[in-house]
Amino acid sequence: MRMSKMLIPTLREVPAEAEINSHKLMLRAGLMRRIASGVYAYLPLGFRTFKKIEQIIREEMDRENAQELVMSALIPAESYKETGRWDIFGPEMFRLKDRGNRDFCLGPTHEEIFTQTVKSGVKSYKNLPMTLYQIQTKYRDERRPRFGVMRCREFVMKDAYSFDKDEAGLDESYQAMYRAYSKIFDRCKLDYTVVEADSGAMGGSGSQEFMVKSEIGEAQIAYCESCGYAANDEKAECLEPVFNNDKELLSMEEVKTPNVKTIEQLCEFFNCEATNFAKTLIYKADDVIIAAIVRGDRELNETKLQNYLGCNELEMADDETVYKVTNAKVGFAGPIGLSIKIVADLEVKGMVNFITGANNTGYHYNNVNIDRDTKNLEFVDIRTITLGDHCPKCKNEISIARGIEVGHIFKLGDKYTKALDCTYLDQNGRSQTMLMGCYGIGVGRTMASIIEQNNDESGIIWPMAVTPYQVIIIPINISNEIQASMAEQLYNSLQDEGIEVLFDDRKERPGVKFNDAELIGIPLRITVGKKASEGIVEYKIRKTGDMDEIDIKKVIARVKSDILAY
RNA sequence: CGGGAUGUAGCGCAGGUGGUAGCGCACAUGGUUUGGGACCAUGGGGCCGCAGGUUCGAGUCCUGUCAUCCCGACCA
C-alpha cells in the first residue's frame, strides 16, 4: 500500500486522554481514535492488526473443531429474563426498546442465546459434544472504562460455548480450549501466565484466566517461582500459619478510645502495629447480617467470604445496620458479645493479646485472646494473599504480580442449560441436561497487551504474526529518479511475492519517514538511498535494530527468510 | 457511585486584577532543501464544552449542566 494514499494520522505529541504506553502508542501510531468514553474506532492500520489477531483465533479454534457462527448483538429481553440475568446485569447492560415498546438489550455476553440455539438444534447424544463460537461486538456499560481499548464499553470478543453429555466430556472440551488459547497467545508473542480463577458461588467446577503480566493490569495474581502454582488473588489460598504462642496471656481490659476508629488511628493511640488488631467488618449476605474478622493489616477477600457463605450477594452493611447489631457506631465492632454469625480468618486463631472493638461506641478491648474470650468463631481462609505468604502447593514464598486478563475459560456446568432446559436424549432415550463451558478472548485487549509488551521509546515493535505490514520501503529522496524507480520496482516485486508491504512514497524528509516507520512498528525496513545507483539498499530490523547494506537482488530472499525466522 | 482534575484551532498548550483570542506543531500555496520529526515567505482555520446569570462589556467572575481523564469502590 502506498502511504501517500493512506489514512495513518500519526501524532507527534501524546494526546492528553492517554495514560499508559499501549494507549498512547495506539493513538500516536494512528491505529484508533476515541468516539466516546470506552468506545473506539479502529483506523486502517489498527484494523489490519485487529483482523490478523481474529484470524489467529479463528485458526486455532477451528483446529479444535469449534464452529464459527455469528449471533445478533441486538437481543430481546426474554432470553435474559428466563435466566434472571435481565435483572442481575443491572445498569451494566445497555437497554433499549423497539417501536412497539418491547425490551431489548445489546448483548453483554451470549450464554443464553447459544444455549437456546443448541436447545432447538440438538436433540441427540449423537450430536454431542459441540463447541460453537463467534467473534462479535459486545456491549457493557462499564462504570469506569479505562486505558483506551483495555476496558471499554463496546468491544469485540471471541466467545465460545461448549456443550457436552457429561462431566468427562466437559473436561475434554475445556482442555481443547486451553490448548487453543495457549497457541493463540503464543502466536501473538505474548508473555502470559495461566492462573486459577474463582468460579463463583454459582457452581462451575473450574476456571482459569490467561494473564499477561503487566504493571498496568487490573487483576492481581499470586504465583510461585518454584512449583509453578498461579492463581488470581480472589482464588489464591492462604495457608493456616504455624502458631507458636509462648506469650503469657494478659488479662483483658476495656480501654476508652474516643474518636479512634480506623486501624491507623488505633496504631497511633495504642502505639503498636496493625498486626495487633483484629478488624471486624459487618456484612450483609443475602439479607443475613454476619461479621468477618481479619488481622488489622490484612485485606478481607469478599469472594472467599461469599463462597464460604454460599450467598448470592455480599455487601458491607450500612451504618444503621452496624449500629443495630453491634450496639455501637461504625469503628467499634468486635467479636466479644456479638450474637450474629462470626467468620474469622485462619490467622486470627493464633493471635494473642490483641486489640479489637468493644461493641461500645468509644471503647476497645485490649489483650483479647481467642480461646479465653470469644466463642463460636468459624475459622476460614477469608483474606487476600499478599507478599510474605507461602505457596499453598509447595510452601515456598509466593510472588505477587499484576496481570491483564486476555482470556478466560470456564466450566459452567448446568447453570444455563438447566435454567433454559437445554437437554438431549441419551442412548436409552432418557432426557439429560447438557453441560456447558464458556470461553472468552478480548480481541482489542489482546492487541493492546501485545503493544504493552512490545514497544520502545520510538514506538511499537510488532511481532511478525500481527503486524499490519511486514515490510516498509523508504525512498530517501522520492524526486531522485534512480531511487524512486528502484523503490517502485522493489515494491512491486515484494507484492508479487505475496509480502505485505508499505511503500512510503510521501514527499517527506527522511527523518519523518524513519520516525513514522518506527512508531508504527513495521518489523522490516528497506531504505533506498544514495547507494541505489550501485544496486545497494539498507536493511534494518525493527526488533533488534540490526542494520546492514545488501544487494537489491538479494532483498526478496532475505525478506522471505526473515519473515519466517522473525 | 465517592474523591480529584481538565475542557480555548486537527494535536500539545498559553491567555494576573473582565476591554477586539494567541503560540508551537499540523494544514494550504510558492521557493530553497533531502540519511533521523528542515528553512523562508504567504495563507486558511475558533459557538474559548453547553446553558443561564452578573456587567456598558465575560475565554476570564457566579450558578447549573455536559463531556473527558485519573484514584478508589464495583465488575460475566
Side-chain angles (χ1 to χ4, degrees):
Chain A
M1 190 71 188
R2 289 170 191 275
M3 282 180 81
S4 61
K5 305 258 189 293
M6 286 184 74
L7 176 64
I8 307 181
T10 57
L11 301 174
R12 195 175 294 206
E13 290 179 274
V14 184
E17 72 188 60
E19 197 74 14
I20 62 164
N21 275 336
S22 57
H23 189 190
K24 287 178 187 170
L25 286 171
M26 287 179 86
L27 292 170
R28 282 194 57 214
L31 306 186
M32 62 155 191
R33 285 291 180 269
R34 194 189 76 227
I35 303 297
S37 175
V39 181
Y40 291 85
Y42 287 88
L43 304 184
L45 218 45
F47 191 47
R48 282 184 72 96
T49 291
F50 198 88
K51 284 187 290 188
K52 286 197 175 183
I53 296 171
E54 285 186 343
Q55 190 53 32
I56 290 173
I57 293 173
R58 251 182 213 112
E59 287 170 14
E60 298 305 333
M61 293 301 290
D62 292 351
R63 197 195 301 278
E64 294 292 349
N65 298 312
Q67 305 167 68
E68 185 174 13
L69 51 72
V70 62
M71 295 293 184
S72 67
L74 184 63
I75 300 170
E78 287 67 41
S79 304
Y80 292 98
K81 281 182 177 162
E82 259 188 89
T83 55
R85 292 213 291 181
W86 182 258
D87 296 320
I88 289 170
F89 267 112
E92 198 169 304
M93 195 183 234
F94 277 104
R95 293 156 203 267
L96 59 160
K97 285 180 186 291
D98 72 2
R99 65 210 296 165
N101 208 35
R102 287 174 282 260
D103 285 321
F104 280 81
C105 71
L106 296 175
T109 174
H110 285 198
E111 281 80 8
E112 283 84 350
I113 314 303
F114 274 81
T115 306
Q116 286 170 341
T117 305
V118 168
K119 176 184 176 179
S120 64
V122 177
K123 307 285 186 200
S124 161
Y125 73 95
K126 291 174 194 160
N127 298 318
L128 296 176
M130 183 176 284
T131 297
L132 303 171
Y133 77 97
Q134 63 174 348
I135 298 175
Q136 191 230 27
T137 308
K138 299 280 182 276
Y139 297 87
R140 294 181 194 177
D141 197 357
E142 294 279 351
R143 261 172 229 234
R144 178 137 117 89
R146 251 213 279 210
F147 299 150
V149 106
M150 281 288 183
R151 178 171 216 77
C152 42
R153 301 193 292 170
E154 178 186 89
F155 61 100
V156 172
M157 183 191 227
K158 186 287 301 171
D159 49 324
Y161 306 87
S162 67
F163 296 85
D164 274 281
K165 294 189 288 257
D166 50 30
E167 202 63 50
L170 173 55
D171 280 349
E172 269 177 48
S173 299
Y174 181 89
Q175 285 311 322
M177 289 299 107
Y178 184 102
R179 286 193 298 274
Y181 277 35
S182 302
K183 285 198 187 128
I184 290 163
F185 297 125
D186 285 343
R187 286 178 65 182
C188 289
K189 290 286 184 289
L190 280 169
D191 174 18
Y192 64 94
T193 314
V194 185
V195 307
E196 303 293 323
D198 176 64
S199 45
M202 298 300 280
S205 41
S207 165
Q208 284 165 297
E209 290 166 345
F210 286 72
M211 291 284 195
V212 169
K213 276 190 202 169
S214 163
E215 311 92 69
I216 61 109
E218 296 184 90
Q220 191 152 278
I221 59 185
Y223 64 98
C224 173
E225 304 265 11
S226 33
C227 77
Y229 172 83
N232 80 11
D233 68 353
E234 290 183 345
K235 170 89 177 177
E237 195 184 331
C238 301
L239 294 172
E240 180 167 341
V242 181
F243 307 118
N244 43 349
N245 299 338
D246 44 8
K247 279 192 196 149
E248 189 192 340
L249 302 191
L250 304 174
S251 51
M252 189 172 95
E253 54 180 355
E254 193 174 44
V255 183
K256 191 162 191 204
T257 55
N259 294 318
V260 183
K261 292 186 242 177
T262 66
I263 292 291
E264 210 171 75
Q265 292 166 345
L266 282 162
C267 286
E268 205 174 307
F269 186 91
F270 284 96
N271 192 26
C272 64
E273 301 293 315
T275 50
N276 285 62
F277 298 92
K279 115 180 126 178
T280 306
L281 305 157
I282 309 298
Y283 272 88
K284 189 168 152 218
D286 290 347
D287 300 326
V288 179
I289 309 301
I290 64 113
I293 305 178
V294 292
R295 206 170 76 182
D297 59 320
R298 301 302 196 187
E299 201 176 310
L300 181 102
N301 187 321
E302 293 188 358
T303 306
K304 287 182 179 177
L305 180 58
Q306 184 170 0
N307 286 346
Y308 174 69
L309 295 170
C311 59
N312 288 322
E313 274 182 57
L314 182 72
E315 55 176 358
M316 294 272 276
D318 53 46
D319 293 7
E320 200 183 323
T321 310
V322 172
Y323 191 84
K324 220 183 285 171
V325 296
T326 65
N327 219 3
K329 287 190 179 165
V330 173
F332 301 98
I336 301 170
L338 267 193
S339 54
I340 52 176
K341 183 185 185 78
I342 305 174
V343 183
D345 184 62
L346 292 175
E347 199 174 44
V348 174
K349 204 194 282 187
M351 292 175 71
V352 287
N353 300 331
F354 64 88
I355 301 164
T356 191
N359 296 322
N360 185 359
T361 305
Y363 290 90
H364 279 79
Y365 285 125
N366 195 1
N367 298 327
V368 178
N369 287 285
I370 293 288
D371 294 340
R372 187 189 66 193
D373 305 322
T374 68
K375 51 186 177 187
N376 298 333
L377 298 197
E378 295 165 41
F379 293 99
V380 185
D381 168 27
I382 53 166
R383 71 183 172 88
T384 300
I385 199 163
T386 182
L387 273 181
D389 274 315
H390 296 273
C391 171
K393 282 239 172 82
C394 75
K395 312 269 194 293
N396 273 299
E397 194 99 336
I398 204 89
S399 304
I400 304 284
R402 300 194 74 81
I404 303 162
E405 181 189 340
V406 289
H408 195 170
I409 55 179
F410 203 114
K411 289 183 194 171
L412 288 169
D414 64 2
K415 181 176 173 186
Y416 294 94
T417 44
K418 204 169 177 182
L420 295 168
D421 194 29
C422 177
T423 58
Y424 68 97
L425 293 179
D426 67 13
Q427 291 93 320
N428 305 315
R430 274 201 303 261
S431 181
Q432 305 276 7
T433 301
M434 295 186 204
L435 293 184
M436 199 175 163
C438 71
Y439 318 90
I441 292 179
V443 181
R445 191 180 277 187
T446 298
M447 178 165 161
S449 300
I450 295 170
I451 296 171
E452 199 64 39
Q453 284 192 342
N454 297 279
N455 70 80
D456 62 13
E457 332 61 67
S458 310
I460 301 169
I461 305 174
W462 284 120
M464 192 60 80
V466 295
T467 184
Y469 291 90
Q470 298 165 318
V471 183
I472 183 166
I473 301 171
I474 298 181
I476 290 295
N477 186 349
I478 199 87
S479 46
N480 173 308
E481 258 175 55
I482 301 175
Q483 291 181 23
S485 73
M486 182 186 274
E488 188 81 33
Q489 263 176 31
L490 189 57
Y491 172 54
N492 289 325
S493 39
L494 283 169
Q495 280 195 315
D496 290 345
E497 294 290 334
I499 291 159
E500 299 169 308
V501 43
L502 257 187
F503 181 26
D504 197 346
D505 61 337
R506 296 176 300 170
K507 287 196 177 71
E508 290 288 351
R509 293 172 59 84
V512 174
K513 296 187 182 184
F514 289 146
N515 280 308
D516 273 348
E518 275 157 27
L519 177 59
I520 65 178
I522 307 303
L524 305 174
R525 185 182 89 187
I526 299 165
T527 308
V528 180
K530 282 195 287 273
K531 294 195 176 167
S533 52
E534 306 163 38
I536 290 184
V537 296
E538 180 195 278
Y539 191 88
K540 187 175 183 187
I541 295 171
R542 175 74 177 92
K543 191 167 62 175
T544 58
D546 291 348
M547 187 151 72
D548 53 326
E549 293 184 335
I550 60 176
D551 193 306
I552 184 76
K553 294 194 232 32
K554 294 181 178 158
V555 169
I556 289 178
R558 175 72 187 272
V559 166
K560 279 181 167 173
S561 79
D562 279 353
I563 287 174
L564 289 175
Y566 204 79

